[in-house]
Amino acid sequence: MAADLDMVNLLVLAGATLAIPILSFVASFILWPSALIKIYYWYWRRTLGLQVPSILMLHGFSAHKDTWLTMVKYLPKHLHILCVDMPGHEGTTRTNSEDYSIQGQVKRIHQFVENVRLNRKPFHLVGTSMGGNVAGVYAASFPSEICSITLICPAGIRYPCETKFDNHLQDLEHSHYTLSIPLIPSTPEEMEDMLRLCSHVRFKIPQQILQGLVDVRLPHNDFYQEVFMEILSENSRYALQENLQLITAPLQVIWGKQDQVVDVSGAVVVAEALPGCRVDLLENCGHSVVMERPRRTAKLIMEFIISLGTTSGTIKKHS
């Protein structure tokens, strides 16, 4: 009988020992799902011997560094992330002699990278829209500084298919740029139109907020017009496409399938120029990928960085 009791006690002890980690895992899954995601990333970094690089993020036309905040909050907290204002935007200085062409912006970003010594080790570069154009040309110009690159709905390509914004551009050119530019609103109504153009997801924004957004931008509209004309110039408009084949770092493209500013067909152009790149297409998403799908975008970027050693060129569609 004593032997039977010892056996029962042993089984109970063994069961309890096994139950504790199981219950801990279940509790973690329910209460702290982010912890499991961090463990997942840690496991793959350890398995692949991967050191996650610093990440530099370049925003789009007339935006600012805070554009990335909605996405950055879904990235692991330990990452070294730098979100900068593009030349002349928000907190950066403006001078009459400044060159706001794509190459000029690449030069300014490189000055920043050198000043903060970010290029001591190769870093991951992310750019969206105009920032994607700049990021691609940067990677082509300074290949030794870049370990990998993510382009989100990048400008700077001859797109096989036209968008609603392309039609606006044609009207602008025919009017010799006397019409208002859709990306430079000066009234709440124009701001609402711009948001509808840039986003497939419809955000309901009160009139007071629209007016506030316009009030913030109005003092900068002359500058935005200057930059807009510069990036449409012959030297800048297709700068990314002209430099694609000079990019040697592993490249990822993320694009909203309902983008009305730069058509998603640009992803095919990139994939044909760089057959080894990864392309992620997002369903029910427009040009403002970072705002519309921040969690998904963060996950795709981390998956790309972690899997660099094993990924071949693929085009993926995501819901």
Side-chain angles (χ1 to χ4, degrees):
M1 178 65 73
D4 291 341
L5 287 173
D6 288 343
M7 180 60 71
V8 170
N9 289 334
L10 184 61
L11 289 173
V12 170
L13 183 62
T17 302
L18 290 172
I20 290 172
I22 293 173
L23 290 173
S24 298
F25 177 83
V26 172
S28 297
F29 181 78
I30 295 172
L31 300 175
W32 304 290
S34 61
L36 292 179
I37 293 173
K38 290 178 181 178
I39 292 171
Y40 168 81
Y41 288 141
W42 172 85
Y43 168 77
W44 279 108
R45 287 199 306 274
R46 189 174 179 85
T47 301
L48 298 173
L50 177 67
Q51 295 293 321
V52 176
S54 296
I55 302 176
L56 176 62
M57 299 185 172
L58 309 180
H59 64 73
F61 171 76
S62 77
H64 47 78
K65 60 181 179 295
D66 294 339
T67 301
W68 298 104
L69 293 180
T70 54
M71 186 196 77
V72 166
K73 69 180 182 181
Y74 294 111
L75 292 172
K77 304 302 182 206
H78 67 276
L79 292 181
H80 180 221
I81 300 171
L82 295 91
C83 304
V84 298
D85 287 317
M86 297 297 284
H89 288 68
E90 196 71 11
T92 60
T93 56
R94 300 173 188 168
T95 65
N96 293 332
S97 60
E98 196 63 58
D99 178 7
Y100 295 108
S101 68
I102 296 302
Q103 287 288 359
Q105 295 192 55
V106 167
K107 182 179 178 181
R108 280 283 297 276
I109 295 298
H110 187 243
Q111 289 173 348
F112 167 80
V113 166
E114 289 191 315
N115 286 340
V116 300
R117 301 183 66 193
L118 182 61
N119 53 358
R120 286 179 298 176
K121 295 189 297 185
F123 58 91
H124 182 78
L125 184 57
V126 182
T128 183
S129 195
M130 178 191 76
N133 194 352
V134 173
V137 176
Y138 190 106
S141 303
F142 305 101
S144 64
E145 297 184 2
I146 306 299
C147 63
S148 48
I149 179 172
T150 297
L151 304 180
I152 304 173
C153 303
I157 295 173
R158 291 181 174 86
Y159 308 95
C161 301
E162 291 187 346
T163 63
K164 185 176 180 180
F165 182 65
D166 289 320
N167 296 331
H168 283 302
L169 282 182
Q170 291 170 11
D171 292 340
L172 276 171
E173 289 167 354
H174 292 152
S175 72
H176 301 289
Y177 295 94
T178 57
L179 296 175
S180 62
I181 299 172
L183 298 181
I184 308 178
S186 56
T187 67
E189 292 74 25
E190 289 178 354
M191 173 61 72
E192 191 169 28
D193 289 342
M194 186 191 79
L195 295 175
R196 287 176 177 169
L197 176 69
C198 293
S199 176
H200 179 71
V201 176
R202 293 293 178 252
F203 299 102
K204 189 172 183 179
I205 303 177
Q207 190 72 12
Q208 300 95 316
I209 300 298
L210 290 172
Q211 182 64 61
L213 292 171
V214 170
D215 291 343
V216 169
R217 295 172 62 99
L218 271 177
H220 308 288
N221 276 0
D222 287 345
F223 166 74
Y224 293 149
Q225 182 147 353
E226 177 187 349
V227 175
F228 185 80
M229 298 306 297
E230 193 71 61
I231 62 179
L232 279 185
S233 67
E234 184 178 349
N235 293 333
S236 295
R237 190 164 189 170
Y238 305 115
L240 174 57
Q241 186 163 349
E242 291 164 358
N243 284 272
L244 277 176
Q245 294 184 333
L246 298 177
I247 297 175
T248 57
L251 186 143
Q252 173 188 37
V253 177
I254 302 175
W255 219 303
K257 292 189 71 176
Q258 283 71 41
D259 194 330
Q260 297 185 86
V261 179
V262 290
D263 192 73
V264 67
S265 60
V268 176
V269 175
V270 177
E272 288 178 348
L274 299 170
C277 77
R278 166 174 169 162
V279 179
D280 294 292
L281 306 182
L282 302 182
E283 298 282 355
N284 302 313
C285 183
H287 186 64
S288 300
V289 170
V290 175
M291 299 292 292
E292 297 178 66
R293 304 293 290 278
R295 186 194 299 266
R296 187 63 180 152
T297 304
K299 185 174 186 294
L300 289 172
I301 291 173
M302 285 307 302
E303 285 179 352
F304 173 61
I305 292 174
I306 290 171
S307 65
L308 280 178
T310 57
T311 303
S312 59
T314 55
I315 294 182
K316 298 183 179 181
K317 297 180 181 180
H318 303 273
S319 58

